[in-house]
Amino acid sequence: MIGHKRIPSREGGVEIVVDELSTRLVRLGCQVDAYNRYGRHTAGRKFDERRGKYYNGIRLITIPTPKSSALNAIVYSFLAVIRALFGRYDVIHFHAEGPCIVLWIPKLFGFHVVATIHGLDWQRAKWGNFASSMLKLGEKTAVRHADEIIVLSQNMREYFQQTYGRDTILIPNGIERPVIKKADLITKQYGLKKDEYILFLARIVPEKGLHYLIEAFKKSDTDKKLVIAGGNSHSNEYMKEISAMAATDKRIIMTDFIHGQCLEELYSNAYLYVLPSDVEGMALTLLEAMSYGNCCLVSDIKENTEVTEESAVTFKKGSVKDLGIKLDNLLKNPQKVMEYKEKSQDFICGKYNWDAVVEKTLERYKRKSIKRYKRMGKWSR
């Protein structure tokens, strides 16, 4: 596995997918190596120092990376691939567009190469022109050289077909039915109680649309709090902007990254979960929020509505006015919120399943590996 920041962590959806996928592959008898990034930044040092060489049966190989966010992914990907060339792997699985820039190298040496495109990263507002062009190059490299391309939504599948004439495999993310937790740690740490807060849980980057939500929330007449659970990801200026906006309203609480019991409690006790994204691949936090039985208010981009169908409330992407109208309506109508809460968990847990994701992914691994091994006389199953 190449392309994530590091596992185990919840720094982004890619990390969660790599973790869930790798853990289940190991249970099925596969040997999995995950190439983690390591930087000189505090977060990287904290994450790597507290982990052993193995996690859930996955061998963790740490690749040194520069502090510069502009060079981090490219240097990491190149060094990870060079190391992987000596790994005698049956499959090398790349995640996200940026790391796919070097995908042609293992392909040149005859490896079976799979790429999962988690989203059209070059569209994301946090990247400058150079970074966006590199991400687009990674996309084109995957199209040209990957044996298999996995996408997470029908919208992305259509994009690759219309743009490049390239067939892709739709394998959406999975979810498990969680155990609902009572408010305990979140009450002690943040003063939060059940149904007394609105939850935004995602990386604080421009494309997540948090600025729309804060603006709409500030205009709302409610005693409920807005909890912003997430941290910065290569968007320092945007983070400063959000912090300044939040500082003018005492109802807004910023928690930074949340994990473990605190995360479970936040999901379990929210009145409403809001995802106002301009751009998404397939938001795992949306799946998680619905799996905890939340009423969700999301932007009407296809990547969101494809997930929620009729089981969530939508607003027009980028419209603070429409977001405010829908938000006020849900704040004034708890019965309507309860109706969505009652159906969201069964709907989402019935629609998406991690075991099905692993089964379909394993099929893509084997598809050309079988042919390769038959030619070499090594395939016995």
Side-chain angles (χ1 to χ4, degrees), residues 16-39:
I16 298 170
V17 171
V18 171
D19 191 331
E20 295 285 354
L21 184 59
S22 300
T23 297
R24 285 167 171 77
L25 286 169
V26 168
R27 290 175 190 166
L28 293 175
C30 299
Q31 295 179 352
V32 181
D33 289 355
Y35 284 71
N36 281 356
R37 302 185 204 185
Y38 178 78

Side-chain angles (χ1 to χ4, degrees), residues 187-369:
T187 303
K188 295 173 182 176
Q189 292 185 25
Y190 306 110
L192 300 171
K193 297 180 181 179
K194 186 172 178 60
D195 290 334
E196 292 188 358
Y197 61 93
I198 297 161
L199 178 62
F200 170 91
L201 197 153
R203 290 172 295 115
I204 300 178
V205 290
E207 64 269 16
K208 293 294 182 181
L210 178 54
H211 48 291
Y212 306 136
L213 175 57
I214 293 177
E215 192 174 340
F217 177 77
K218 283 184 173 184
K219 297 175 182 177
S220 67
D221 182 18
T222 181
D223 293 330
K224 295 189 188 300
K225 298 174 181 178
L226 171 61
V227 176
I228 299 172
N232 180 27
S233 177
H234 306 307
S235 299
N236 292 328
E237 290 304 315
Y238 185 71
M239 186 67 176
K240 291 177 182 177
E241 177 187 336
I242 290 298
S243 297
M245 291 177 72
T248 62
D249 193 321
K250 294 181 179 180
R251 298 173 299 171
I252 300 176
I253 298 172
M254 297 185 69
T255 68
D256 207 341
F257 283 116
I258 292 287
H259 58 87
Q261 184 178 334
C262 246
L263 175 68
E264 295 167 0
E265 290 183 16
L266 277 179
Y267 275 135
S268 296
N269 297 282
Y271 177 78
L272 181 67
Y273 170 86
V274 185
L275 184 65
S277 312
D278 287 329
V279 178
E280 282 292 350
M282 184 184 187
L284 268 169
T285 55
L286 176 55
L287 270 67
E288 289 175 340
M290 295 186 75
S291 76
Y292 277 88
N294 276 292
C295 173
C296 296
L297 173 59
V298 302
S299 58
D300 62 356
I301 59 175
K302 289 184 178 179
E303 289 80 0
N304 286 342
T305 58
E306 194 174 314
V307 170
T308 63
E309 298 182 27
E310 303 300 320
S311 295
V313 181
T314 63
F315 71 94
K316 186 177 180 181
K317 181 192 83 169
S319 173
V320 174
K321 181 179 179 180
D322 194 37
L323 173 56
I325 291 171
K326 301 293 175 59
L327 182 62
D328 285 340
N329 183 261
L330 291 171
L331 287 169
K332 294 173 182 177
N333 293 281
Q335 184 56 43
K336 185 175 183 180
V337 170
M338 185 55 64
E339 289 173 5
Y340 280 100
K341 283 176 177 281
E342 288 173 350
K343 65 181 180 180
S344 63
Q345 186 180 61
D346 288 341
F347 166 76
I348 208 71
C349 292
K351 186 176 180 181
Y352 299 106
N353 181 279
W354 275 121
D355 291 333
V357 171
V358 174
E359 182 180 341
K360 291 176 181 177
T361 303
L362 204 50
E363 288 176 6
R364 312 326 298 184
Y365 287 173
K366 291 180 178 179
R367 189 178 179 195
K368 290 192 178 178
S369 290

